[in-house]
Amino acid sequence: MADASTDLALLESTATTELKDCADELSLRAWNTKYFGDKGEMNTALKALGTLPKDQRPAYGQAVNAVKQRLISAKDQKEAEIKEQALLASLSANPIDVTLPGRAVSAGNLHVATKVMREIYSIFADMGFQIFRSREVEDDQTNFELLNMPPHHPARDMWDTFHTTTPGVLLRTHTSPGQIHVMKQFAPNPVRAVLPGMCYRHEAVSTRSEIQFEQVEGLVLGPNVTMADLKGTITAFARRLFGQERQVRIRSSYFPFTEPSIEVDIDWPKEDPNADRLTKGTGWLEIMGAGMVHPTVLRNGGYDPDQISGFAFGMGPQRITMLKYAIDDIRQFWKNDLRFLRQF
Ligand code: FA5
């Protein structure tokens, strides 16, 4: 024990002296390997434990640990000193020039899609509509069946769908299933709501069509709501957004969840060189589908079609934004190209 203790004391004093002489990180690392590496002196000292008589082992073990702790804390202190010295040295070698101009913080701007969405909300808010959020992952029943499209209904072909691996669960193809959620929440009371959000379709991407795009659904329910209310609301909306001189065209159409159904187009400025390509030569760009809510859908939502009637519409704000800002390719919206985004 006497020998081992003397060795230990010698080890500590040598290590402490050598530590004091360390002037940089490199020499500190070498010191660390020498004393605390796998084959380092501390490990060797610990192994000496096995050679001692049993009764001396606990005291020796404690002594080794105490030395270890003292050396580690001395090393930590030395390390901090070295770092501090290195920092001071680098600061005096490369003094900071406080007169240099700072780095400008670049101010972002709202995405053009967000801007137009907000404009749409404010127009409908002025007309007394509330905004509702509805889920993007839907079930087949709400996306199709309750909207009057039973399984194998040919109208389902209009909406090529992304199905999830869970049977019957899909990414909504339109915001119309939100109508059902609103009706179930508010039946039998009158409703005036817009439902914005992302929709997904398995479609060929082109200048006018994306697989992911926003829609804004509208739903108005109440006693004596008529097609005239629908036409008036849509025209007032279009003129607020595009200007009083803008032409609105209403065509008859078909949707299983509205009867009668219409589609609404807006004229595209003829002087735009892209007009022909975007409007397929017609001069008109479709912005929404709409119609009077089908009695079956009213019933599915908990309303009595003999008491309550209503209209619904679903528009594509990306198409609307293209029209408003003469953007010639819908794919620009989600590309994150700053040259495009900074223009708005
Ligand atoms: C519908 O989705 C119906 N749910 C709309 C509706 C609602 C009708 C309520 C009646 C009552 P449609 O598939 O036509 O209809 O799409 C509506 C609008 O979404 C289109 O006018 C268009 O502006 C936009 N849209 C549709 N597909 C795409 C696409 N792939 N990329 C970008 N916008 C699209």
Side-chain angles (χ1 to χ4, degrees):
M1 176 68 187
D3 278 358
S5 303
T6 318
D7 289 351
L8 199 57
L10 188 63
L11 188 156
E12 184 173 9
S13 75
T14 319
T16 311
T17 314
E18 286 178 13
L19 185 64
K20 281 200 185 109
D21 291 343
C22 287
D24 52 26
E25 273 186 52
L26 209 65
S27 51
L28 187 67
R29 228 178 291 150
W31 179 91
N32 197 49
T33 312
K34 180 172 174 190
Y35 290 98
F36 289 100
D38 285 347
K39 293 180 184 159
E41 308 249 343
M42 285 310 298
N43 263 345
T44 312
L46 203 59
K47 276 183 196 144
L49 194 73
T51 65
L52 295 178
K54 249 192 180 157
D55 60 331
Q56 292 179 12
R57 286 182 194 173
Y60 179 76
Q62 277 172 12
V64 172
N65 270 331
V67 168
K68 190 175 167 187
Q69 289 315 318
R70 283 197 292 275
L71 287 180
I72 286 175
S73 69
K75 189 204 97 178
D76 289 347
Q77 201 181 333
K78 185 72 184 177
E79 196 169 17
E81 274 168 29
I82 288 176
K83 280 199 176 134
E84 171 89 13
Q85 275 160 11
L87 180 67
L88 289 175
S90 101
L91 284 178
S92 57
N94 310 296
I96 295 171
D97 181 354
V98 290
T99 64
L100 276 177
R103 285 195 191 99
V105 178
S106 68
N109 58 295
L110 286 179
H111 193 291
V112 63
T114 308
K115 276 188 184 167
V116 173
M117 284 299 248
R118 290 189 180 180
E119 230 176 307
I120 294 172
Y121 299 157
S122 85
I123 295 172
F124 282 110
D126 287 351
M127 292 199 256
F129 283 71
Q130 296 183 53
I131 297 171
F132 281 86
R133 296 270 165 198
S134 184
R135 62 195 70 158
E136 289 178 26
V137 180
E138 263 298 356
D139 52 35
D140 184 277
Q141 206 193 18
T142 320
N143 196 78
F144 291 118
E145 275 188 67
L146 296 175
L147 292 172
N148 205 19
M149 283 177 279
H152 311 299
H153 191 290
R156 287 187 178 214
D157 291 350
M158 291 201 283
W159 294 284
D160 239 344
T161 313
F162 288 111
H163 295 271
T164 68
T165 46
T166 311
V169 178
L170 44 87
L171 299 185
R172 67 175 174 191
T173 53
H174 52 173
T175 41
S176 298
Q179 288 185 33
I180 299 289
H181 295 296
V182 168
M183 286 191 219
K184 285 186 171 167
Q185 191 175 335
F186 291 98
N189 297 311
V191 163
R192 213 182 284 183
V194 282
L195 298 104
M198 276 293 172
C199 304
Y200 305 86
R201 290 185 195 175
H202 187 248
E203 283 193 1
V205 173
S206 71
T207 50
R208 302 175 69 246
S209 297
E210 262 285 15
I211 58 168
Q212 172 187 338
F213 55 95
E214 285 171 311
Q215 279 192 348
V216 178
E217 189 85 6
L219 180 66
V220 173
L221 299 174
N224 305 319
V225 175
T226 67
M227 188 77 168
D229 298 316
L230 169 59
K231 286 170 75 175
T233 305
I234 288 172
T235 308
F237 162 74
R239 300 236 158 108
R240 275 272 310 266
L241 195 65
F242 296 105
Q244 292 303 316
E245 72 291 348
R246 220 57 196 254
Q247 301 285 320
V248 177
R249 183 173 79 164
I250 290 176
R251 287 177 286 119
S252 70
S253 184
Y254 170 75
F255 296 99
F257 34 90
T258 45
E259 178 59 35
S261 303
I262 59 170
E263 263 169 329
V264 181
D265 304 330
I266 292 205
D267 65 327
W268 185 275
K270 289 179 186 55
E271 53 281 10
D272 182 342
N274 297 311
D276 260 12
R277 182 165 57 88
L278 290 171
T279 66
K280 297 181 181 159
T282 63
W284 298 94
L285 192 71
E286 172 202 315
I287 56 156
M288 67 170 82
M292 301 307 292
V293 181
H294 196 288
T296 303
V297 177
L298 283 173
R299 249 180 252 114
N300 290 342
Y303 284 86
D304 176 358
D306 293 329
Q307 304 293 325
I308 295 287
S309 56
F311 66 79
F313 54 82
M315 68 179 92
Q318 268 76 72
R319 295 253 177 93
I320 287 176
T321 309
M322 291 169 79
L323 204 60
K324 201 168 156 61
Y325 294 100
I327 296 166
D328 63 358
D329 194 331
I330 199 169
R331 288 169 290 196
Q332 294 285 3
F333 280 91
W334 317 122
K335 254 190 189 169
N336 281 343
D337 184 340
L338 287 178
R339 290 167 302 177
F340 170 74
L341 297 174
R342 283 194 177 124
Q343 294 176 65
F344 305 98

